[in-house]
Amino acid sequence: EAQVTQNPRYLITVTGKKLTVTCSQNMNHEYMSWYRQDPGLGLRQIYYSMNVEVTDKGDVPEGYKVSRKEKRNFPLILESPSPNQTSLYFCASRHRGGNTEAFFGQGTRLTVV
Amino acid sequence: SQQGEEDPQALSIQEGENATMNCSYKTSINNLQWYRQNSGRGLVHLILIRSNEREKHSGRLRVTLDTSKKSSSLLITASRAADTASYFCATDLNQAGTALIFGKGTTLSVSS
């Protein structure tokens, strides 16, 4: 089954404790991206990757890091989480070239206390 | 940068009625897409309309695009309770597909 898998689904952590949210896709998509969703603000892009070892900032990259060492994986790293990073996070992937649909993971609800 | 803006923010209708949601955007686009989200879950793609298309259908969905007005509409005909969800428009800003920008969404509630 074609899917984007995120882990964990839910996470409560404390300020400053490094964490990683994993994302994996099995569709051989070139493009992967991370979004955060906040009430009243919709989805905002954090980082995206056009292919292995190629990443770039989205609209809200501060406080986040990503890596793309393999085509299927695109982890989101919070080196020192803060309460304003409490949000619902989504990973998405799509084929290269535009005019293609994005496939989303089920989301990771992160709470930073 | 918030490119798309959906209108209305919330919509409540009865089963069997039609639901219309609108999306306005600011810059030129390669295509416009509509997605659905059920209660905090992942988004699911509904339909894509290219910048050179004016109307597209998929089952009970009808999407229109007016590039001169920079707007799109999503019509769901004969709504069902299962259509209750949030609907987002997303604009694809370039042919490379690296900038898929979402609006804030319309929350649709269909009561039986």
Side-chain angles (χ1 to χ4, degrees), chain A:
Chain A
E1 179 191 353
Q3 59 185 3
V4 178
T5 304
Q6 290 179 232
N7 280 297
R9 293 287 311 281
Y10 302 91
L11 179 59
I12 301 174
T13 191
V14 296
T15 299
K17 186 177 180 181
K18 181 180 178 180
L19 67 92
T20 300
V21 184
T22 63
C23 174
S24 180
Q25 51 95 4
N26 63 0
M27 294 166 280
N28 202 36
H29 288 164
E30 294 82 11
Y31 292 149
M32 297 186 75
S33 56
W34 278 101
Y35 293 85
R36 61 178 288 174
Q37 184 177 24
D38 301 288
L41 297 177
L43 280 88
R44 295 177 292 168
Q45 190 178 58
I46 303 170
Y47 268 94
Y48 65 91
S49 169
M50 290 166 42
N51 216 324
V52 175
E53 302 292 3
V54 181
T55 63
D56 210 343
K57 296 177 180 178
D59 293 324
V60 288
E62 295 78 21
Y64 304 95
K65 283 176 57 177
V66 293
S67 69
R68 187 94 182 271
K69 293 182 169 41
E70 304 166 284
K71 196 172 186 178
R72 62 184 293 123
N73 296 324
F74 190 45
L76 179 69
I77 303 155
L78 284 72
E79 294 268 0
S80 182
S82 62
N84 65 12
Q85 292 178 299
T86 292
S87 187
L88 180 57
Y89 292 87
F90 288 102
C91 178
S93 71
R94 62 193 298 206
H95 274 304
R96 167 175 46 202
N99 290 323
T100 59
E101 66 180 278
F103 291 79
F104 281 79
Q106 286 300 297
T108 295
R109 189 167 292 279
L110 172 66
T111 302
V112 184
V113 298

